[in-house]
Amino acid sequence: QLQASGGGLVQAGGSLKLSCAGSGRFFSSSVIGWFRQDPGKEREFVAAIRWGRSSTYYSDSVKGRFTISKDGAKNTVYLEMNSLKPEDTATYYCAKGTSPTSEPGAYSSWGQGTQVTVSS
């Protein structure tokens, strides 16, 4: 079970930090990814982290602005979002898989989503 939280309303240029808490332990082979989706659009890969090695992966659209990290003691993955733009507005989901792919179908468990709205 994954629980995403931390969304909200922020002005363009602002920051938000999302959290994805796992109810069970993440194995070293686990990959936790963040995706986002607007109504009527496909789910878009944002970032991923490999739990064991802490290797990180980003989409080109967020590279340099977003940072994914983890807290092993809390079994939680974070997505720190800076320099937010109106086009970052979406529902953000975290998901668990075993490969840091951008394909949503490769992730087996999904959180419920948290809304991020960036006003211009």
Side-chain angles (χ1 to χ4, degrees), residues 1-75:
Q1 295 282 350
L2 301 174
Q3 182 79 23
S5 62
L9 173 64
V10 64
Q11 289 187 332
S15 300
L16 278 176
K17 188 173 184 178
L18 307 183
S19 299
C20 176
S23 59
R25 180 184 175 187
F26 293 135
F27 295 106
S28 60
S29 60
S30 296
V31 171
I32 308 301
W34 283 98
F35 289 77
R36 63 188 182 188
Q37 188 171 24
D38 263 339
K41 294 185 179 180
E42 293 186 353
R43 195 160 290 191
E44 176 191 11
F45 172 78
V46 175
I49 185 168
R50 190 177 289 279
W51 188 257
R53 297 183 178 181
S54 297
S55 306
T56 58
Y57 310 84
Y58 298 94
S59 69
D60 288 342
S61 63
V62 306
K63 197 173 295 182
R65 299 188 298 124
F66 291 10
T67 302
I68 190 169
S69 62
K70 71 174 191 182
D71 183 330
K74 296 182 178 179
N75 216 46

Side-chain angles (χ1 to χ4, degrees), residues 65-98:
R65 299 188 298 124
F66 291 10
T67 302
I68 190 169
S69 62
K70 71 174 191 182
D71 183 330
K74 296 182 178 179
N75 216 46
T76 298
V77 171
Y78 302 99
L79 183 69
E80 184 167 4
M81 307 183 295
N82 298 314
S83 302
L84 282 162
K85 305 174 182 179
E87 51 262 44
D88 294 318
T89 295
T91 301
Y92 283 70
Y93 299 88
C94 60
K96 186 177 73 171
T98 57

